[in-house]
């Protein structure tokens, strides 16, 4: 019997020794200098090292592989080794599954994602662990003191599990925890289930917690029994960022008044969480006076259920986004803005897609924006069926606006354009149109379009004196500080017979891709002449005189280049400040590298403007081989004008040539 016990013990000792040797040899250390950019953290560890599990698996194999350490090393070796100071990779077993430990500098990361875990691992991970990721498992409960061994823990993620119960002592010992992610569990916030997860003191140990994610836990957010656990949350006096599901007509209770550092609240629905607010009450945000960022996208918010003083307590609000609530509708904008009318802090206002998809064209009346906050600098009102605005909208809107994005609307021409100079601080205007978008067809037929009760009688495009007064030329006056305007894919098919733009403007870039409207831009010169030095006499004595006599302002490099400036810079300035570039094509030009550079810069300018700028004057009769492939390609893909043969240089022939060239320059 004694010998039998001994025979069993010896193999067991050998197995344990071999296991220790294997783990020891699996440990890999990499040495190098530290780097502020921290490429290893960004690409291999992803800040929270295994946040993007799908990406990691696709690039370096499944993390659960026994070769994980080799895969990580392969990733690290693809980076600049000077970015890594000290990293250690270890594989620790938790029963049949494996978790990985990565030590880098002073941080220790534990990855237990996607291990089919049913409970918190009992493995003794390093006590200095700072990041613990348990996402994408089947954990159902957090027992008492589950993490008490890791008092240096800063980041704990248990997202996408099945947690429905949290012991009141689950977070004991985590006084240094800064981020807790419980996204995508079963922590339903109704009175029956909440007592199992949100005891009043459950968060009490988390004295330094700054970010908490509790969204996507309530799949039926319109259940009127749902309540936020404000007594439990009240313990988080250091909390700055909070993600929650959005309940029907919510009220954030008195416990939130203790969250004096809370700056960011996200209630977004759809991909972020569950949200069905329906309405907002005057007391909804009464106890959240420190908020600076509020996001309530995709929350099925209805304009007529928003009470006027909803946002009145939010005196520090800096960023507000209630986009993709398509039943707010413009006639209820005054309710949204009433509580914000006296704010001085609100800078960013996002109102994309707040009008029903099937609404007929909307004219925005100034009566709906009479309370518009005057501190707003960015305004996004994309995709709202807007066709026009009345004459008083621009006059009443914020004079602090620097950026306006009114893309994916369908504006018609109106004299409200005359009020553009009122936008005295505007630098960027975006009026992009529609790219192809698929919408669901109505399920019921016949279908009645959504027709909101808009006060169209007060939405006037003209004032009385403009209708009865004398006619006058239309001059487009731009906002005095406007630098960038984009009108892409707006389905514009306008014929501009005459459009005068006030020359007192600061516009630097006008983009009209995808439209049939030709951009009109004021240029310092009409034409830049590209020529070889051997052809200088022809250019100065013949071509220049012919063009100037036809009213063109001509840029000639030997005369107009800035002395002391690099020739390359001079060429770029010439190309940008001239409407067209005329190339005097001769054999000498074909041999000139500087002329080739000028043609390249002209091609780049053509791409930037969206239309060709090159015109070739074929002075010498050259064969294809004399031109070369690149020059021949440019001639064939741009406008060219043949010079009359030497046998026909009569005054009439030259006059016809110059008239034809002048016409091409003006196009």
């Amino acid at each position: 019997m004694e010998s039998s016990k001994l025979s069993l013990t010896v193999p067991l000792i050998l197995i344990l020794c071999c296991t220790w040797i294997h783990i020891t040899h699996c440990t890999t250390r990499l040495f190098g200098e530290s780097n502020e950019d921290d490429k290893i953290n960004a690409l291999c560890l992803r800040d929270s090292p295994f946040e993007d599990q799908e990406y990691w698996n696709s690039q370096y194999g499944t993390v659960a592989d026994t070769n994980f350490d080799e895969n990580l090393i392969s990733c690290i070796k693809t980076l600049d080794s000077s970015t890594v100071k000290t990293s250690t990779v270890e594989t620790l077993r938790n029963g049949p599954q494996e978790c990985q430990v990565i030590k880098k500098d002073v941080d220790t990361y534990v990855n237990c994602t996607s291990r089919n875990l049913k409970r918190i691992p009992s493995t003794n991970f390093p006590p200095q662990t700072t990041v613990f990721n348990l996402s994408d498992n089947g954990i159902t409960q957090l027992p008492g003191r589950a993490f008490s061994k890791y008092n240096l823990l800063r980041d704990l993620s248990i997202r996408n599990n099945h947690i429905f119960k949290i012991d009141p002592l689950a977070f004991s010992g985590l006084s240094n925890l800064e981020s807790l992610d419980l996204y995508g569990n079963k922590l339903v916030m109704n009175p029956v289930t909440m007592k199992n997860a949100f005891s009043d003191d459950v968060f009490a140990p988390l004295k330094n917690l700054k970010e908490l994610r509790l969204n996507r836990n309530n799949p039926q957010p319109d259940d009127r029994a749902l309540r936020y656990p404000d007594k439990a949350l009240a313990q988080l006096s250091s909390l700055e960022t909070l993600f929650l599901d959005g309940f029907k007509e919510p009220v954030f209770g008195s416990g939130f008044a203790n969250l004096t550092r809370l700056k960011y609240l996200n209630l977004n629905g759809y991909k972020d969480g569950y949200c069905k607010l329906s309405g907002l009450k005057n007391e909804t945000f009464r106890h959240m006076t420190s908020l600076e960022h509020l996001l309530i996208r995709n929350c099925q918010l209805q304009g007529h259920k928003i009470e006027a003083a909803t946002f009145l307590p939010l005196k520090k609000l800096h960023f507000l986004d209630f986009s993709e609530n398509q039943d707010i509708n413009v006639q209820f904008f005054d309710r949204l803005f009433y509580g914000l009318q006296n704010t001085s802090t609100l800078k960013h206002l996002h109102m994309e897609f707040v009008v029903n998809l099937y609404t007929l064209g909307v004219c925005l009346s100034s009566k709906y924006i009479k309370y518009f906050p005057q501190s707003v600098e960015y305004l996004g009102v994309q995709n709202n069926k807007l066709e026009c605005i009345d004459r008083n909208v621009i006059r009443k809107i914020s004079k602090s606006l620097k950026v306006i994005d009114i893309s994916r609307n369908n504006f018609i021409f109106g004299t409200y354009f005359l009020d553009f100079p009122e936008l005295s601080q505007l630098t960027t205007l975006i009026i992009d149109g529609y790219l192809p978008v698929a919408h669901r067809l109505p399920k019921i037929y016949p279908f009645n379009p959504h027709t909101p009760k808009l006060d169209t009688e007060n939405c006037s495009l003209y004032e009385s004196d403009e209708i009865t007064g004398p006619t006058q030329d239309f001059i487009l006056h731009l906002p005095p500080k406007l630098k960038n305007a984009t009108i892409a894919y707006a389905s514009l098919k306008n014929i501009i017979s005459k459009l005068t733009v006030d020359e007192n403007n600061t516009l630097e870039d006008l983009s009209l891709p995808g439209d049939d409207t030709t951009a009109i831009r004021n240029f310092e010169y009409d034409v830049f002449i590209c020529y070889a030095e051997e052809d200088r006499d022809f250019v100065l004595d013949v071509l220049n005189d012919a063009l100037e006599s036809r009213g063109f302002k001509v840029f000639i490099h030997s005369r107009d280049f800035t002395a002391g400036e690099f020739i390359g810079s001079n060429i770029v300035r010439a190309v940008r400040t001239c409407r067209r570039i005329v190339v005097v094509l001769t054999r000498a030009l074909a041999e000139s590298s500087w002329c080739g550079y000028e043609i390249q810069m002209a091609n780049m300018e053509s791409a930037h403007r969206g239309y060709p700028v090159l015109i070739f004057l074929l002075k010498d009769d050259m064969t294809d081989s004399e031109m070369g492939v690149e020059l021949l390609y440019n001639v064939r893909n741009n406008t060219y004008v043949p010079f009359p043969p030497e046998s026909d240089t009569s005054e009439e022939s030259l006059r016809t040539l110059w008239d034809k060239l002048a016409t091409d320059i003006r196009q």
Side-chain angles (χ1 to χ4, degrees):
M1 196 70 169
E2 293 287 331
S3 62
S4 174
K5 287 183 180 180
L6 180 63
S7 64
L8 290 172
T9 304
V10 171
L12 180 60
I13 293 172
L14 289 174
I15 291 172
L16 290 174
C17 290
C18 290
T19 302
W20 173 253
I21 292 170
H22 171 73
I23 292 175
T24 303
H25 281 281
C26 281
T27 302
T28 303
R29 294 183 181 273
L30 301 168
F31 298 91
E33 297 176 3
S34 62
N35 188 300
E36 289 296 327
D37 293 335
D38 208 359
K39 296 178 183 177
I40 175 64
N41 201 39
L43 297 179
C44 287
L45 305 183
R46 296 278 175 169
D47 280 334
S48 178
F50 310 100
E51 183 171 345
D52 195 339
Q53 192 72 46
E54 183 177 351
Y55 172 84
W56 178 278
N57 292 345
S58 67
Q59 298 295 319
Y60 303 107
T62 304
V63 175
D65 287 348
T66 56
N67 292 327
F68 167 81
D69 46 354
E70 296 177 9
N71 294 331
L72 178 63
I73 294 166
S74 174
C75 169
I76 294 172
K77 285 181 178 178
T78 64
L79 305 177
D80 181 358
S81 61
S82 67
T83 64
V84 185
K85 185 176 181 182
T86 303
S87 295
T88 302
V89 181
E90 300 178 7
T91 301
L92 298 181
R93 289 192 173 275
N94 177 64
Q97 302 295 338
E98 297 175 350
C99 294
Q100 276 72 41
V101 177
I102 299 177
K103 298 177 182 178
K104 176 183 173 294
D105 297 339
V106 297
D107 289 323
T108 300
Y109 301 83
V110 174
N111 171 41
C112 294
T113 60
S114 302
R115 298 298 193 280
N116 197 29
L117 299 175
K118 304 302 180 185
R119 59 183 62 86
I120 303 298
S122 57
T123 306
N124 288 321
F125 296 111
Q128 68 270 26
T129 295
T130 53
V131 178
F132 201 162
N133 196 333
L134 288 156
S135 301
D136 302 302
N137 286 293
I139 300 170
T140 58
Q141 301 184 37
L142 298 183
R145 305 185 186 281
F147 307 99
S148 59
K149 293 178 288 187
Y150 314 113
N151 58 9
L152 297 179
L153 199 61
R154 295 197 315 268
D155 189 324
L156 174 60
S157 177
I158 326 176
R159 64 189 287 131
N160 293 323
N161 280 272
H162 304 293
I163 299 170
F164 69 91
K165 183 176 182 179
I166 302 176
D167 187 274
L169 299 177
F171 301 117
S172 293
L174 299 184
S175 59
N176 290 306
L177 194 69
E178 296 180 358
S179 176
L180 174 60
D181 190 350
L182 293 167
Y183 169 98
N185 283 283
K186 299 183 182 298
L187 299 170
V188 180
M189 297 178 184
N190 64 42
V192 176
T193 59
M194 199 158 49
K195 61 184 179 181
N196 293 321
F198 298 107
S199 63
D200 291 354
D201 296 322
V202 66
F203 295 128
L206 308 179
K207 300 299 183 183
N208 288 296
L209 193 71
K210 293 179 172 57
E211 179 178 319
L212 174 62
R213 294 173 184 260
L214 287 170
N215 45 331
R216 211 162 187 81
N217 275 278
N218 299 270
Q220 297 179 329
D222 56 345
D223 182 354
R224 290 189 175 276
L226 294 175
R227 296 289 185 275
Y228 295 113
D230 63 301
K231 290 184 179 179
L233 294 172
Q235 304 292 328
L236 301 173
S237 57
S238 297
L239 195 66
E240 297 176 359
T241 300
L242 178 61
F243 291 74
L244 294 170
D245 292 325
F247 302 156
K248 191 178 184 70
E249 299 181 0
V251 174
F252 295 92
S254 58
F256 285 90
N258 195 48
L259 306 184
T260 57
R261 299 184 183 180
L262 185 64
K263 294 178 174 60
Y264 180 101
L265 176 64
N266 187 318
L267 301 175
N268 289 349
Y270 189 41
K271 294 182 179 180
D272 289 349
Y274 300 112
C275 188
K276 194 171 183 179
L277 297 180
S278 180
L280 293 171
K281 298 179 176 293
N282 291 339
E283 60 267 28
T284 294
F285 301 109
R286 178 182 298 173
H287 302 294
M288 307 187 81
T289 56
S290 62
L291 275 186
E292 295 180 5
H293 290 73
L294 176 59
L295 291 83
I296 46 179
R297 299 174 66 102
N298 279 299
C299 285
Q300 302 183 40
L301 195 58
Q302 300 175 43
H304 69 281
K305 292 186 177 181
I306 300 174
E307 296 184 0
T310 294
F311 300 112
L312 194 60
L314 305 181
K315 305 295 186 183
K316 298 180 180 179
L317 199 62
H318 179 84
F319 181 103
L320 175 60
D321 186 354
F322 49 83
S323 300
E324 300 182 57
N325 291 288
Q326 61 172 307
D327 289 318
I328 290 180
N329 290 313
V330 297
Q331 66 267 36
F332 299 109
F333 281 3
D334 56 339
R335 295 191 180 200
L336 285 170
F337 299 146
Y338 180 80
L340 300 167
Q341 60 182 308
N342 295 319
T343 181
S344 61
T345 60
L346 185 62
K347 304 298 181 184
H348 296 263
L349 182 57
H350 296 255
M351 303 166 56
E352 177 182 352
F353 196 12
V354 296
V355 173
N356 190 279
L357 175 64
Y358 302 107
T359 299
L360 302 179
V362 173
C363 182
L364 180 61
S365 170
S366 58
K367 67 178 291 185
Y368 301 134
I369 63 162
K370 58 186 176 182
Y371 302 122
F372 191 88
Q374 295 300 300
S375 59
V376 174
E377 295 180 357
Y378 172 91
L379 175 63
V381 286
Q382 307 95 302
N383 204 10
N384 283 313
K385 297 291 182 177
L386 296 176
E387 290 193 359
C388 57
I389 59 179
D390 76 25
R391 283 303 308 274
N392 291 307
V393 168
I394 292 179
R395 299 171 186 177
K396 290 186 177 182
I397 211 164
S398 171
K399 300 302 183 294
S400 301
L401 279 168
K402 296 180 180 178
V403 179
I404 298 179
D405 189 343
I406 49 177
S407 304
R408 301 190 297 282
N409 288 290
N410 191 25
F411 282 97
I412 62 174
F413 182 82
T415 53
Y416 49 84
F417 284 111
L418 296 174
D419 296 322
F420 267 10
E422 297 277 342
L423 301 171
S424 58
Q425 301 301 314
L426 193 69
T427 61
T428 301
L429 177 63
I430 306 171
I431 321 179
D432 292 349
Y434 289 87
L435 290 173
V437 178
H439 295 297
R440 294 182 183 275
L441 292 174
K443 296 180 180 179
I444 302 174
Y445 181 84
F447 174 72
N448 293 321
H450 188 81
T451 53
K453 297 178 181 179
L454 299 177
D455 186 1
T456 54
E457 293 182 0
N458 289 334
C459 195
S460 175
L461 297 180
Y462 301 94
E463 294 182 337
S464 58
D465 59 341
E466 292 174 331
I467 299 175
T468 60
T471 60
Q472 54 185 313
D473 290 338
F474 179 80
I475 300 177
L476 181 60
H477 298 274
L478 300 179
K481 294 185 179 180
L482 185 67
K483 294 184 180 298
N484 303 289
T486 303
I487 313 175
Y489 303 100
S491 301
L492 300 175
K493 297 184 182 295
N494 299 321
I495 299 174
I496 300 178
S497 56
K498 180 181 180 181
L499 174 62
T500 303
V501 179
D502 182 10
E503 62 182 14
N504 295 316
N505 67 77
T506 58
L507 191 64
E508 295 178 354
D509 183 67
L510 174 61
S511 177
L512 293 160
D515 296 315
D516 292 339
T517 302
T518 300
I520 295 177
R521 170 177 157 187
N522 292 325
F523 292 94
E524 187 177 350
Y525 295 88
D526 295 301
V527 59
F528 169 58
I529 308 298
C530 172
Y531 65 93
E533 189 61 27
E534 291 84 343
D535 304 310
R536 177 175 179 174
D537 291 342
F538 167 77
V539 170
L540 293 177
D541 299 335
V542 181
L543 180 56
N544 180 63
D545 290 348
L547 294 177
E548 288 187 343
S549 66
R550 284 164 174 77
F552 292 113
K553 186 176 181 181
V554 183
F555 191 115
I556 296 177
H557 69 246
S558 61
R559 181 184 66 193
D560 299 311
F561 273 5
T562 302
E565 190 171 326
F566 290 113
I567 186 170
S569 301
N570 268 311
I571 291 172
V572 171
R573 182 176 66 86
V575 170
R576 293 199 64 186
T577 57
C578 296
R579 178 178 290 110
R580 297 282 188 178
I581 289 84
V582 171
V583 180
V584 180
L585 183 54
T586 63
R587 291 179 178 84
L589 180 131
E591 299 296 327
S592 171
S593 59
W594 281 117
C595 290
Y597 179 73
E598 290 174 352
I599 293 172
Q600 289 177 1
M601 292 300 101
N603 280 325
M604 292 177 64
E605 184 68 13
S606 295
H608 176 71
R609 297 186 196 177
Y611 61 86
V613 300
L614 280 167
I615 301 173
F616 285 86
L617 177 60
L618 309 184
K619 188 173 185 298
D620 286 356
D621 186 12
M622 300 171 62
T623 64
D624 292 354
S625 60
E626 286 179 312
M627 289 189 196
V629 175
E630 185 175 348
L631 192 54
L632 180 62
Y633 174 85
N634 281 306
V635 172
R636 289 179 174 177
N637 287 276
N638 288 280
T639 301
Y640 62 87
V641 181
F643 198 82
E646 292 183 3
S647 59
D648 185 17
T649 55
S650 64
E651 184 177 337
E652 182 178 351
S653 296
L654 290 175
R655 183 169 60 251
T656 301
L657 167 68
W658 304 135
D659 289 344
K660 172 67 169 66
L661 183 59
T663 300
D664 291 336
I665 292 172
R666 290 191 177 98
Q667 285 184 346

